[in-house]
Amino acid sequence: MRITGTTRLAGIMGWPVTHSRSPVLHSFWLDETGIDGAYLPLPVRPQHIEQALRSLPILGFRGCNLTVPHKRAAFSVVDRVEPLARRIGAINTIVIGPDGSIEGRNTDAFGFRENLLDMVPDWSPRAGPAVILGAGGAARAIVAALADAGVAEIRIVNRTLDRAASLAHDLSTPKVTISISSWDEVDTALRDAGLLVNATSLGMAGEPALMLDLSSLPPATPVVDIVYVPLETDLLAAARRRGHPVVDGLGMLLHQGRPGFEAWFGAPVRVTPKLRDVILATLAAAQ
Ligand code: ATR
């Protein structure tokens, strides 16, 4: 990559930001497309997020991604919030308009949907109720994606029921029923499920394991994990042994970057096996 006087600029704001794989992801696509652009890590302390976002148009940036802890704080700074990001309650992508206005979007729902379609092309929203484990930020994006795809019933299983209830309240539409359950009721929730998604941090390296008995899940039901360190979680290993189609968490991370790249740099990009290998190598190097 060579920086020139016309290089288009984007980046990721986070605190800390050093763990982010997004600079490697976007640099891969910039190299692949040959676009004169750069994507930078932008370490921004929580108390500086407003100044940092307001500086983007002044400095000529096309936009940026947001990661922890800025995804909610950005709501009070941006000029416009796309309706989907408002429903999910988090902004992960900023796009600067030609007039210098700052728009907040959320691309996690897109990332989840594209990855699912990529990995299990024959999954149908009519396959049956979707069971989502978790009610945090990731779960909210996944519920929005599934509701918009036409899933008629979504069952949330979460440790903190209040959190599940507020998710159900915020993301219900006339076309989708969202129910909530505790972990004690998970076997019943799985019984006729058409999709199972782990959207908790359980099973991630350094976190407690996710111990789930899959025996009540119908055999053809796909099992998705958003965890990508390790890539093959205990949940996915157990699902694979039982013959379920399985989807790991790396693809969602990669696909969620596509809309931002397209908006800032003006070209569509794809998630390829080579890209997966490049990101997996950076994850392995960090172990
Ligand atoms: P993210 O933005 O990645 O979704 P989050 O908002 O912190 O992260 O959500 C983490 C999810 O993992 C939540 O559903 C959380 O359950 P609670 O809402 O009850 O906190 C779930 N989770 C994390 N650790 C857990 C544990 N030890 N047992 C059960 N659930 C856990």
Side-chain angles (χ1 to χ4, degrees):
M1 177 188 62
R2 235 183 45 206
I3 306 283
T4 71
T6 55
T7 299
R8 298 175 181 190
L9 297 174
I12 179 161
M13 294 184 186
W15 188 262
V17 80
T18 46
H19 66 282
S20 172
R21 295 318 190 268
S22 292
V24 178
L25 172 64
H26 288 276
S27 298
F28 177 93
W29 282 329
L30 285 168
D31 287 347
E32 192 180 56
T33 55
I35 286 170
D36 181 15
Y39 183 101
L40 309 170
L42 302 167
V44 174
R45 287 183 163 80
Q47 64 268 34
H48 294 146
I49 186 63
E50 177 162 7
Q51 287 162 281
L53 285 173
R54 288 266 153 230
S55 301
L56 287 174
I58 299 168
L59 295 171
F61 272 65
R62 302 288 178 118
C64 71
N65 284 124
L66 298 178
T67 186
V68 178
H70 303 314
K71 290 183 177 191
R72 285 194 80 86
F75 275 96
S76 56
V77 182
V78 299
D79 299 314
R80 236 182 357 265
V81 179
E82 165 211 62
L84 178 64
R86 175 94 53 204
R87 275 167 69 209
I88 295 170
I91 292 172
N92 74 345
T93 302
I94 298 285
V95 177
I96 306 300
D99 57 352
S101 62
I102 305 173
E103 180 171 313
R105 302 182 186 175
N106 188 303
T107 64
D108 285 334
F110 173 88
F112 176 82
R113 189 191 65 216
E114 290 290 301
N115 189 40
L116 182 59
L117 295 178
D118 216 9
M119 306 305 272
V120 196
D122 56 355
W123 172 79
S124 158
R126 286 173 296 282
V131 176
I132 313 299
L133 311 174
R140 295 176 79 95
I142 291 165
V143 169
L146 293 173
D148 291 353
V151 174
E153 184 185 347
I154 298 176
R155 300 169 179 166
I156 308 296
V157 178
N158 199 48
R159 175 180 59 179
T160 311
L161 281 179
D162 280 358
R163 232 172 153 205
S166 70
L167 180 159
H169 173 266
D170 295 349
L171 290 162
S172 281
T173 70
K175 291 189 175 158
V176 63
T177 303
I178 305 179
S179 60
I180 64 171
S181 322
S182 66
W183 281 96
D184 300 343
E185 301 159 312
V186 69
D187 288 349
T188 317
L190 294 180
R191 210 159 284 157
D192 54 346
L195 183 70
L196 169 63
V197 183
N198 174 38
T200 72
S201 45
L202 294 172
M204 192 187 292
E207 299 289 326
L210 172 52
M211 300 299 208
L212 199 59
D213 175 3
L214 295 176
S215 53
S216 62
L217 191 68
T221 296
V223 177
V224 184
D225 205 328
I226 64 156
V227 170
Y228 55 88
V229 180
L231 200 57
E232 175 101 337
T233 58
D234 290 346
L235 173 68
L236 292 189
R240 202 186 291 280
R241 280 195 298 274
R242 284 174 42 88
H244 296 277
V246 301
V247 181
D248 67 55
L250 184 60
M252 178 176 171
L253 175 80
L254 305 180
H255 281 284
Q256 66 74 33
R258 289 170 43 207
F261 189 95
E262 193 164 345
W264 309 318
F265 301 120
V269 278
R270 289 177 312 127
V271 172
T272 56
K274 187 174 168 209
L275 171 59
R276 274 180 70 91
D277 287 347
V278 167
I279 302 295
L280 278 176
T282 73
L283 295 171
Q287 291 286 292

